[in-house]
Structure formats: structure tokens, C-alpha cells
Amino acid sequence: MKITFLGTGTSQGVPIINCDCPVCKSLDFRDKRLRCSVHIEVNGKSIVIDTGPDFRQQVLRESIHQLDAILLTHEHKDHIAGLDDVRGYNFSLNKNIPIYARQRVIDRLKVEFPYAFAEDYAGRPRIDTIPISNQAFLFEDLEIVPIDGMHGGMPCFGFRIENFTYITDMNELPEKEWDKIAGSKVLVLNALHHKDHYSHFTLKEALDLAKKLSIPKTYFVHMSHHMGLHGQVDSGLPMGIHLAYDGLKIEI
Ligand SMILES: [Zn+2]
Ligand SMILES: [Zn+2]
Ligand SMILES: [Zn+2]
């Protein structure tokens, strides 16, 4: 299984427009963060979690030629805004792309992308929406396990595929969900910055949770510029815990 971090930044990305802080001005490529998304290659399948506003740029950068399914964590714009660009795969692969999401998210897609659901519009992105609940499901022969957490009062799904668990946009992960994560080899958690936030884990909260879950390798995503310089913050983290960066690839 091969994981590629397509984007690791918060909703505005890093650098932020019109910000001249040291992080936004940093020349370190790891301080340039597109909106959060991850690509998973497993058993010959190519899966993307979330299609934010940078989706097109991300799949071009990583030369992702195949796309078999999209999993959506929740409906915030920084996780769905790039959905229109599945057209590139519709045309080149001549197939619809299945999208797995909870019904509430699918309802939101119908508001945000009404033309995608209009049968008579030839230029629409061709998607097949499949509603999921908080129960393991099969994409072809691959088991995908949703993990249900809270994101500022909004339910948000994380996903486990084999030994990889991806959790973005949460500030609360109920203990009843922890068993689903146990035994993973790699865990991804969101960590926004240092100050308390109503809908995201802070760095300290993410570190505390990572210690409790004790997965061998943990990577943080969805960082804002207030997190600080990648090089400085990452070097101060405990063994086995890192900030992710755009383009980071791991094999499990
Ligand atoms: Zn987000
Ligand atoms: Zn900044
Ligand atoms: Zn969000």
C-alpha cells in the first residue's frame, strides 16, 4: 500500500494570501501546504480522500493517472471544492467515479454542484454517490472502515483502509471508535496550531491522542501557518510522530 499526501494545509492553505509571516515567507518546500487530501494505492486500486480546491493541481503534480473511488470526510469547501475536476478522469478513463460519503454530505453536493446531478448536461462531472453510515463497507473487494468523530459539532468521517487510518477535521474522537484504529501501522491526525480551536485538535491535543492510540507512526495534517516552521516544529516532536508535508510518500 502506498500513501501520498496530496495536501496538508488548513482551509486557506499555506502561504496565506497577503500574509508575510515567517512561515508564509519560508523557502522550505515543506512550508507550502495545499488543502488536505491523501492518495491511497492499494490492491491495484487508486483512491483519494477528499477533493479540495487544489485537487487538479495535486493529481497533476503526483501524476495520478488512475482514479477508482473518492471518499469524502465532510462537506466543508476545502474538502469538496475540486470535485468538478473528476471530469478529467471521466473523459480519459471513460467511467463514472464512485463517491462514498454520508447522506448529509451527498445532499450538500447536490446544492454545491447541482449540474453534476442533471442528466441532460453533457459537461457534468460523472459521479455515482454512494451513501455510507458508520459501518465498514466494501469498495469492490477492499474493506473500508469509517471512523466517526466530531468537527465543531458536525459529524465527520475518518477512514481506515488495511493498516492506514486517516483522520482529518476533528476536535473530538469518541473512545468507542478507538478499537477501529487499534493495530494500524500509520495514523494521520489533524493538528491545526497551538491555540484552542472549536473544530480542530490543537498540536497538544493531537499529541495526547496520538500517545493514547499509540500507533507506531503518526503524521499530523491540516496545519495553519500559526503552527510554525515545519523544520522547527517537526524536530521537536516525540519519536514516531511527524508533521506531514505535501508530496510525502509512505509505504505500508
Ligand atoms: Zn478542513
Ligand atoms: Zn502567514
Ligand atoms: Zn472542515
Side-chain angles (χ1 to χ4, degrees), residues 19 21 24 225:
C19 182
C21 81
C24 291
H225 61 162

Side-chain angles (χ1 to χ4, degrees), residues 13-170:
V14 181
I16 286 180
I17 293 170
N18 283 343
C19 182
D20 58 5
C21 81
V23 175
C24 291
K25 289 284 175 212
S26 166
L27 297 178
D28 185 340
F29 73 95
R30 298 169 303 174
D31 286 315
K32 312 225 175 287
R33 304 187 187 279
L34 300 177
R35 270 57 72 91
C36 267
S37 175
V38 71
H39 178 240
I40 300 160
E41 282 178 80
V42 58
N43 300 345
K45 292 175 190 55
S46 170
I47 298 169
V48 163
I49 302 182
D50 290 333
T51 52
D54 304 313
F55 173 66
R56 172 178 169 276
Q57 186 182 346
Q58 291 166 329
V59 297
L60 287 172
R61 184 191 76 210
E62 299 297 339
S63 301
I64 297 171
H65 300 296
Q66 189 191 338
L67 182 64
D68 300 311
I70 293 167
L71 313 178
L72 294 180
T73 58
H74 67 304
E75 64 269 44
H76 281 161
K77 211 62 152 186
D78 56 319
H79 297 260
I80 64 163
L83 193 58
D84 186 75
D85 283 315
V86 299
R87 286 179 301 139
Y89 292 106
N90 296 147
F91 298 143
S92 59
L93 305 176
N94 192 26
K95 66 175 184 183
N96 290 13
I97 304 294
I99 296 191
Y100 293 86
R102 70 172 84 224
Q103 187 61 50
R104 188 197 72 225
V105 176
I106 294 171
D107 291 345
R108 193 64 215 167
L109 294 181
K110 290 177 183 169
V111 176
E112 302 264 353
F113 301 94
Y115 58 94
F117 296 87
E119 295 283 330
D120 58 349
Y121 178 46
R124 71 192 165 98
R126 283 160 43 207
I127 54 175
D128 295 325
T129 51
I130 299 133
I132 55 170
S133 58
N134 189 20
Q135 278 181 346
F137 63 94
L138 284 177
F139 166 59
E140 297 176 2
D141 58 351
L142 183 69
E143 187 184 54
I144 300 175
V145 181
I147 296 159
D148 206 11
M150 294 302 282
H151 176 35
M154 167 192 277
C156 177
F157 274 148
F159 295 102
R160 177 172 180 171
I161 299 177
E162 295 189 342
N163 288 321
F164 175 68
T165 299
Y166 182 82
I167 288 173
T168 187
D169 290 53
M170 288 187 196

